[in-house]
Amino acid sequence: MNIVTAEVRHNHTGAVVCRAQGEWNGVLEFTYSSGETKLMDTHRLPVTRKRMRHVEKQGPLESRAVRLWQHVTEALKAGNMDEATENKHHLEERQRNDERQRAASKTPWTPKHFTKQGDGWTYSRPLWETH
């Protein structure tokens, strides 16, 4: 299943301004605090290609693009599921080892783009502050 549920909260008050639910690859329903409901059929949206920095300019842990997952992506493109699975396993094991090392040295994980707030996380550079 490809089910998605989300809440959008007002940054200062914490009030829920929108709830979303549905399937990320199907129909999403957005319900706003005003009571208005809108549907979005993702199949009808135009496909937009990602724009990425060249791999040489990416950080070693960038996962949005190519660098971190490049071997998994190459194997998937070649149709080699065994190699993709093996590369994914190595990547995940490296992440687990990093976490074990942080735990042993009592070094907390510090996310680059999010800060912990209560039970949730807040993006460090909200759109209303960057645009």
Side-chain angles (χ1 to χ4, degrees), residues 9-12 113-115 117 122-131:
R9 294 180 179 267
H10 188 276
N11 194 48
H12 300 292
H113 298 291
F114 292 87
T115 55
Q117 290 192 343
T122 301
Y123 185 56
S124 303
R125 295 176 37 206
L127 291 175
W128 59 85
E129 292 179 4
T130 59
H131 292 5

Side-chain angles (χ1 to χ4, degrees), residues 33-110:
S33 56
S34 65
E36 179 184 12
T37 299
K38 291 186 178 181
L39 296 176
M40 180 190 340
D41 183 348
T42 62
H43 293 115
R44 295 178 183 228
L45 296 175
V47 175
T48 304
R49 290 185 52 85
K50 284 193 276 188
R51 293 184 312 188
M52 298 176 272
R53 292 184 303 225
H54 289 286
V55 72
E56 301 83 28
K57 294 182 179 181
Q58 295 175 21
L61 299 178
E62 278 196 57
S63 64
R64 181 168 192 266
V66 184
R67 178 158 286 200
L68 189 62
W69 291 89
Q70 66 184 341
H71 302 298
V72 176
T73 302
E74 289 167 3
L76 288 172
K77 284 181 178 180
N80 189 337
M81 297 305 289
D82 291 337
E83 185 179 339
T85 300
E86 185 66 24
N87 284 314
K88 181 177 178 282
H89 174 75
H90 287 302
L91 177 62
E92 291 169 338
E93 278 304 310
R94 190 173 81 201
Q95 291 171 333
R96 287 183 191 101
N97 286 334
D98 290 348
E99 174 56 29
R100 282 192 282 276
Q101 289 176 354
R102 282 192 300 275
S105 66
K106 297 185 176 155
T107 304
W109 171 253
T110 306

Side-chain angles (χ1 to χ4, degrees), residues 21-29 38-43:
Q21 63 182 14
E23 295 183 9
W24 65 265
N25 63 343
V27 176
L28 294 169
E29 178 182 272
K38 291 186 178 181
L39 296 176
M40 180 190 340
D41 183 348
T42 62
H43 293 115

